[in-house]
Amino acid sequence: TWTILGQQVMFAPQSPTNALSGNADSWDGYRGARARVFDMIERAKVSNLAVLTGDVHSSWAFDVPRDPFAGYDKATGKGSIGVEFAGTSVTSPSNVGRDGQKQLDDLKAARPRLHYVDGRYRGYYIVDLTRDRLQADYYAVATIAERSTKERFEAGFITESGRNHLVPASSPA
């Protein structure tokens, strides 16, 4: 039911096609290669695509339209070919959110397909799959300075089979 693409750097387009990449160390720096992946997904009629990303030192949750700046509807997810979840590291610091909530709000405002972003905490996400839905839950650890089992639920998102659109989860899976 689900097609999972596990990889290391942000896949979802971040910058408009005619603009310079804001982060060349992501798929925005390899737009031709990403276009070929999009072509393959469309040719093969891949459905229920979930991109699971690590190594970005912050947490992100996206709908993944081929061109998020044209033909994408934030309310319904129309135009999205999948979803992406990117996770923070357990120990490495991040610049995302370091300047406070306004920075996070600005990131979301500039990216309508972005449902969640935070880099102020260290942690992980867990993905729960069933035939009918995929849910990703983000957790933050209390401290990285000492061993601890303390953690907190930060956010969760669900996409239903056939939707390619994230909605907030009311509680962890």
Side-chain angles (χ1 to χ4, degrees), residues 20 31 44 58 60-61 66 93 116-117 122 140 151 166 169-170 173:
L20 292 174
R31 292 178 182 170
S58 48
W60 305 71
R66 183 177 193 135
Y116 176 68
V117 58
R122 310 283 48 91
E151 63 185 16
L166 296 176
S170 58

Side-chain angles (χ1 to χ4, degrees), residues 63 72-78 112-113 115 163 165-168:
D63 288 349
Y72 168 71
D73 182 334
K74 179 181 181 174
T76 66
K78 182 180 178 195
R113 72 260 174 225
H115 293 266
R163 294 289 314 270
H165 177 57
L166 296 176
V167 295

Side-chain angles (χ1 to χ4, degrees), residues 38-125:
F38 279 131
D39 291 345
M40 182 275 309
I41 289 166
E42 290 169 353
R43 262 193 325 274
K45 296 181 176 33
V46 171
S47 61
N48 296 328
L49 173 68
V51 180
L52 305 181
T53 300
D55 196 26
V56 295
H57 300 209
S58 48
S59 295
W60 305 71
F62 286 97
D63 288 349
V64 181
R66 183 177 193 135
D67 184 351
F69 303 97
Y72 168 71
D73 182 334
K74 179 181 181 174
T76 66
K78 182 180 178 195
S80 180
I81 65 157
V83 298
E84 180 173 10
F85 303 101
T88 188
S89 66
V90 174
T91 58
S92 298
S94 171
N95 291 326
V96 176
R98 184 174 286 172
D99 296 333
Q101 189 62 46
K102 182 180 180 329
Q103 180 190 19
L104 300 174
D105 293 342
D106 289 349
L107 285 167
K108 286 177 72 175
R111 296 164 174 83
R113 72 260 174 225
L114 176 59
H115 293 266
Y116 176 68
V117 58
D118 205 314
R120 298 173 294 183
Y121 66 85
R122 310 283 48 91
Y124 60 94
Y125 67 96

